[in-house]
Amino acid sequence: MLRAASVMSSKLGFNGRVAIVTGAGGGLGKTYALLLASKGASVVVNDLGGAATGGGGSSRPADNVVEEIIRQGGRAVGNYDSVEEGHKIVKTAIDKYGRVDIVINNAGILRDKTFMKMTEDDWDLVHRVHLRGSFIVTKAAWPYMRQQNYGRVIMTASTSGLYGNFGQANYSAAKLGLLGLSNTVAIEGQKYGIHCNTIVPTAASRLTESIMPQDLFQIVKPDLVAPVVAYLCHEECEETGQVFEVAGGWAAKVRWQQAHGAVLLDDESVSVESVRDNWDKVTDFSSALNHSSTTEALGHMMSLVKEARNARHQTNNLKASSSLSSNGLSSSPLAGVDLSKVKEYMSERTPFTYSERDVILYALGVGAKASNLADLKFLYENHEGFGPLPTYGVITAWKGQSSILSRALPNVDFDFAKMLHGEQYLEIMKPIPPSGTLYCQSRIVDVLDKRSGASIILEASTTDSNNELVCVNQFVIFFVGAGRFNGPRTSPNVKKLFPPPDRQPDAVVEEKTSTDQAAVYRLSGDYNPLHIDPEFAAVGGFDQPILHGMSTFGHSARHVLAKFADNDISKFRAIKARFSNPVLPGQTLRTEMWKEGSRIFYRTLVVETGKVVISGGYVDLFESSSMKQVSSDSPSNAVFEEIKQRIAANPSLVQKVNAVFAFHIMQEGDAVKQWTVDMKRSPGSVTEGPSSVKADCTMIISDTDFVDMAKGKLDGQKAFMSGKLKIKGNVMMSQRLGKLFKDQSKL
Ligand code: NAI
């Protein structure tokens, strides 16, 4: 809403800008020239006035457009050179207007033939006009743009290039070539303020009149494409190196997608059989990635290959870990790494698609049983309460973890064989849907020097398609032997562990795990052979493959849910655990629990050995019973809803405000509602209920006063001075709320 308001209030002009539009004598190019000129740009209208297949020439088409612009009070000059002589087109701009800010490479012809009949001439001519022509015009303008530290370049591709089209082999190849050109020009132009984007238009023109169905031809008017091109050419537009399909008043960004992929190596080589056996994974897009750079793409591959190479030695190192930690290795791969840079890295928002079947498989992996009626809602998709266990939130973020290290720390040669999953924290903001696509974004929040190793704190935010936070995970990953790099020992960002109270537990659940527990759990995405391959496990000194720590974690969470939350997943808020010892499938888990308010402290042991396997753990539950009921149409609800929409519309607010606010909404002296506005963790969230992270400032105010304040009827400072508004914590921080309360008429 804020964004819409600001966009509406400011018109996008091109005064002082000089634009070259090639092939602007007709079709799409003409609409670009007319629109830019009407918004103040001086335009070089280039067109050699040839036939659609490339022959002939006339100055008339360009002159007509120039005349129309001048008639309407604009500035334009004609140019009749071929784009193959791009330097002459640029010279026209420099001679007449003294600069060039915008180049729209639009000129084009067709020489359609089936591949069988296509001649080298057909191929060369199309390439010369589209690909070579765009190169030559852009190259001639480049020194001027570089010198003025500003430029906007558009390449024109085609759906034929992106998807192929019968009879257009020459044209498809040239058009996709333009996308490659644009990708690199965008990278090289970045530091000079030169942006380059590619458009993929569909429009009624002489090029399409004979091939396009009439009903489509009527809809896709070329002047509906022009505003998108103009926006991409405006100084306000920050896009670069991107592709947009545009047609008939619709536009959409397009990007490449890469399947998560599979490592095919048997030892050092790849066999054809291994390719066949892994083909399903190679072609599985269910957790696809969208890389935005070559570094990212290669980083993903590198991390998977490294991980696979090291996996076979992992158990060895688990065994060796204690001796390594005691002999105090000093050559850390993190020595000399600028950790502040590491923390700036934020991964792509990666989709994670899952089905009801995946959710059921996970529940089985953490011990849910159809024989236990209370578990049925996690196992049977037609159950009225069907949904994922809250700890499924970990799975939504699991895959993203594999590549974040190599991307955020690209030059650090971690030994993945020495990697241990130390601790886990999960917080649920919204119930996880039974199936669908969620998106996960991860970053490293801290790298700690624990001397015997390095602790890497990874945080992953899972959001839904509305960009609302569903859950947040914190993984603590320990690399044995990677310490002593002079890094910080502790971090305020790490979620704390708590020892249980010093008394007998309030509840205990014992559950024997299945001997196939690890075999089932791995199907939720953790395929480390340590959990399935007896030979592999034996190398590490285990009698049999060990259970995934995350399966034990899921068992413990189930036990807490059953004992203290009636198996009601909506009461589950957060869980923390430290993994202290391995569990063997078939062993009996004993979860001991202590209730202190809304927090359940727990620890998990193996009954057969008495060893603690999860320590320092707790589960936080929502406790709505302490709240008085408030009508669902409470006036403050609408204000929070509006704040939520503002954050979604303007994600940069999160960084600007950078604070967590708690609100206690009062009625007749009683707290009737609590809200948390988290503007610290991207993408920001507005949730009903108490804050799980420490709020920077807590505001206590009545329902009506809050609404008045939001609407600007009650001055915040006066409310504070008169006692209507009480503020705990950092009072100064409350002023940052102003950024959310702008534009009060809409609240
Ligand atoms: P159009 O034929 O109406 O316009 C192209 C213009 O380029 C013509 O006025 C022509 O005289 C000029 N031209 C051709 N060769 C030239 C050269 N060597 N030097 C200077 N000018 C030259 O076609 P339309 O549809 O407006 O196409 C514009 C651009 O959009 C082309 O690059 C085309 O490939 C592309 N495109 C168009 C689509 C559509 O649905 N109309 C679909 C996908 C891409």
Side-chain angles (χ1 to χ4, degrees):
M1 245 167 168
L2 276 180
R3 185 162 169 72
S6 68
V7 168
M8 269 164 18
S9 60
S10 69
K11 293 263 185 209
L12 297 177
F14 289 86
N15 283 341
R17 296 290 180 206
V18 176
I20 290 173
V21 184
T22 71
L28 284 162
K30 177 178 171 182
T31 66
Y32 305 159
L34 291 174
L35 181 61
L36 289 176
S38 74
K39 290 187 151 285
S42 304
V43 182
V44 176
V45 178
N46 157 263
D47 205 302
L48 54 57
T53 50
S58 159
S59 58
R60 205 57 244 152
D63 285 344
N64 285 344
V65 176
V66 171
E67 280 163 23
E68 193 174 335
I69 290 174
I70 290 170
R71 245 196 338 268
Q72 290 170 4
R75 280 180 298 276
V77 60
N79 172 287
Y80 323 111
D81 293 303
S82 166
V83 285
E84 291 186 74
E85 296 188 277
H87 54 282
K88 291 189 184 165
I89 307 173
V90 173
K91 185 168 184 303
T92 303
I94 301 298
D95 288 351
K96 178 82 179 172
Y97 302 117
R99 60 186 289 137
V100 53
D101 302 287
I102 296 167
V103 169
I104 303 178
N105 292 293
N106 165 78
I109 54 161
L110 288 179
R111 278 286 175 104
D112 292 359
K113 300 249 174 76
T114 62
F115 189 58
M116 184 74 183
K117 292 190 182 144
M118 189 162 289
T119 65
E120 288 186 20
D121 277 352
D122 297 327
W123 177 273
D124 289 344
L125 184 61
V126 164
H127 272 69
R128 273 182 10 227
V129 173
H130 289 275
L131 188 50
R132 194 156 189 278
S134 302
F135 158 68
I136 291 176
V137 178
T138 309
K139 175 111 171 80
W142 199 253
Y144 298 101
M145 289 182 168
R146 256 185 66 150
Q147 204 185 7
Q148 71 205 15
N149 262 314
Y150 182 81
R152 294 288 183 267
V153 179
I154 300 289
M155 302 292 177
T156 307
S158 160
T159 51
S160 306
L162 294 185
Y163 312 112
N165 197 20
F166 190 89
Q168 292 197 317
N170 50 356
Y171 181 75
S172 311
K175 285 307 200 188
L176 201 57
L178 280 160
L179 176 53
L181 174 62
S182 172
N183 287 340
T184 293
V185 165
I187 291 170
E188 293 191 17
Q190 187 82 55
K191 70 172 173 185
Y192 302 106
I194 308 173
H195 293 179
C196 182
N197 289 290
T198 302
I199 59 145
V200 177
T202 298
S205 78
R206 66 178 188 172
L207 287 192
T208 50
E209 63 190 342
S210 59
I211 49 173
M212 203 177 264
Q214 261 310 306
D215 54 343
L216 182 60
F217 200 79
Q218 298 306 324
I219 291 175
V220 291
K221 302 208 180 322
D223 53 353
L224 298 176
V225 172
V228 179
V229 174
Y231 176 64
L232 291 170
C233 290
H234 197 269
E235 62 200 30
E236 220 179 66
C237 177
E238 287 172 7
E239 299 282 0
T240 188
Q242 309 300 319
V243 195
F244 303 88
E245 274 192 57
V246 196
W250 164 91
K253 196 169 187 170
V254 180
R255 61 184 182 180
W256 297 101
Q257 202 176 34
Q258 184 193 56
H260 188 261
V263 178
L264 310 167
L265 290 165
D266 310 312
D267 283 332
E268 290 298 310
S269 62
V270 174
S271 68
V272 183
E273 291 72 26
S274 153
V275 177
R276 175 198 59 200
D277 297 344
N278 283 290
W279 202 243
D280 279 353
K281 286 191 209 158
V282 169
T283 55
D284 175 7
F285 278 94
S286 61
S287 45
L289 303 156
N290 306 99
H291 303 298
S292 58
S293 69
T294 304
T295 319
E296 267 192 29
L298 292 180
H300 173 64
M301 176 278 290
M302 287 269 288
S303 69
L304 293 187
V305 171
K306 272 190 187 171
E307 223 173 291
R309 280 181 188 276
N310 287 322
R312 81 178 40 239
H313 307 295
Q314 186 169 28
T315 49
N316 249 344
N317 284 284
L318 277 174
K319 210 179 165 194
S321 63
S322 54
S323 62
L324 274 169
S325 52
S326 60
N327 76 10
L329 285 187
S330 57
S331 57
S332 167
L334 288 158
V337 172
D338 180 355
L339 295 178
S340 61
K341 287 249 155 46
V342 175
K343 292 194 245 171
E344 281 166 17
Y345 177 85
M346 173 71 92
S347 79
E348 273 273 284
R349 198 166 167 253
T350 309
F352 168 76
T353 301
Y354 62 100
S355 64
E356 291 174 343
R357 187 175 178 281
D358 297 322
V359 161
I360 294 169
L361 203 53
Y362 172 80
L364 292 169
V366 298
K369 290 168 194 66
S371 53
N372 177 5
L373 279 186
D375 280 349
L376 214 51
K377 64 180 183 184
F378 306 123
L379 296 174
Y380 179 37
E381 70 284 3
N382 289 331
H383 189 287
E384 57 181 9
F386 178 73
L389 279 156
T391 44
Y392 191 67
V394 175
I395 305 296
T396 67
W398 189 259
K399 284 189 177 155
Q401 302 316 305
S402 59
S403 55
I404 178 91
L405 288 177
S406 61
R407 290 182 182 188
L409 291 155
N411 301 317
V412 178
D413 196 13
F414 280 118
D415 186 349
F416 284 90
K418 294 178 189 160
M419 186 177 95
L420 302 170
H421 186 175
E423 294 171 27
Q424 183 68 33
Y425 173 78
L426 165 70
E427 184 176 340
I428 307 285
M429 277 76 188
K430 243 180 130 166
I432 304 166
S435 63
T437 299
L438 296 173
Y439 300 84
C440 186
Q441 223 175 353
S442 342
R443 67 193 181 107
I444 294 181
V445 291
D446 261 311
V447 180
L448 305 181
D449 187 346
K450 295 288 186 187
R451 311 298 282 169
S452 63
S455 261
I456 308 221
I457 322 300
L458 298 170
E459 234 166 55
S461 308
T462 302
T463 44
D464 59 17
S465 53
N466 298 325
N467 214 13
E468 286 183 15
L469 214 45
V470 174
C471 61
V472 171
N473 275 278
Q474 186 180 81
F475 298 78
V476 178
I477 308 292
F478 191 72
F479 280 95
V480 176
R484 296 175 192 270
F485 54 91
N486 282 331
R489 293 277 185 108
T490 56
S491 158
N493 295 319
V494 182
K495 298 288 175 192
K496 283 204 180 93
L497 294 153
F498 292 101
D502 190 14
R503 61 169 198 266
Q504 286 297 309
D506 300 327
V508 173
V509 171
E510 284 193 6
E511 185 176 23
K512 188 167 166 45
T513 61
S514 151
T515 47
D516 290 322
Q517 201 64 61
V520 178
Y521 183 83
R522 66 192 293 277
L523 300 178
S524 288
D526 184 347
Y527 294 105
N528 188 333
L530 179 65
H531 305 294
I532 186 83
D533 185 338
E535 281 181 29
F536 196 93
V539 178
F542 296 106
D543 292 340
Q544 64 179 88
I546 62 171
L547 186 59
H548 303 72
M550 293 312 298
S551 173
T552 310
F553 176 81
H555 277 82
S556 306
R558 276 182 43 244
H559 298 162
V560 175
L561 261 181
K563 282 289 170 191
F564 293 100
D566 303 323
N567 259 341
D568 178 353
I569 52 172
S570 69
K571 291 191 179 154
F572 192 98
R573 163 186 269 259
I575 179 167
K576 170 81 187 183
R578 164 181 259 166
F579 304 107
S580 356
N581 272 301
V583 176
L584 301 179
Q587 287 182 323
T588 309
L589 295 174
R590 173 186 166 90
T591 307
E592 298 178 341
M593 298 163 261
W594 293 259
K595 183 167 173 9
E596 298 264 306
S598 57
R599 177 162 285 182
I600 315 298
F601 296 91
Y602 74 94
R603 69 172 177 186
T604 309
L605 304 92
V606 165
V607 172
E608 288 80 359
T609 61
K611 277 193 180 167
V612 175
V613 291
I614 290 186
S615 53
Y618 63 87
V619 171
D620 281 339
L621 300 172
F622 286 112
E623 258 190 337
S624 48
S625 54
S626 61
M627 291 278 163
K628 257 195 174 181
Q629 284 304 305
V630 65
S631 65
S632 55
D633 56 1
S634 156
S636 58
N637 289 358
V639 177
F640 286 108
E641 196 49 48
E642 172 64 20
I643 295 174
K644 195 188 273 186
Q645 284 177 21
R646 288 180 178 204
I647 298 172
N650 192 355
S652 65
L653 274 175
V654 174
Q655 217 175 359
K656 285 186 197 145
V657 175
N658 193 25
V660 178
F661 302 104
F663 293 87
H664 292 199
I665 303 295
M666 313 291 284
Q667 276 177 10
E668 294 160 11
D670 282 315
V672 287
K673 261 198 184 178
Q674 287 189 35
W675 286 86
T676 303
V677 178
D678 184 346
M679 302 286 284
K680 243 182 192 159
R681 289 178 298 188
S682 183
S685 64
V686 178
T687 42
E688 204 184 323
S691 167
S692 62
V693 287
K694 192 172 174 323
D696 295 291
C697 98
T698 302
M699 274 158 271
I700 302 149
I701 186 166
S702 82
D703 210 345
T704 45
D705 286 344
F706 177 71
V707 173
D708 285 349
M709 202 172 80
K711 285 189 167 165
K713 288 188 196 161
L714 174 64
D715 178 68
Q717 204 146 7
K718 285 188 188 148
F720 180 60
M721 300 306 282
S722 66
K724 285 184 169 180
L725 167 68
K726 297 192 179 67
I727 304 180
K728 288 187 192 162
N730 189 337
V731 178
M732 295 310 284
M733 281 272 193
S734 63
Q735 293 182 3
R736 297 196 191 171
L737 271 175
K739 292 193 194 312
L740 288 172
F741 285 170
K742 266 193 204 153
D743 214 355
Q744 287 148 335
S745 59
K746 300 213 170 50
L747 284 161

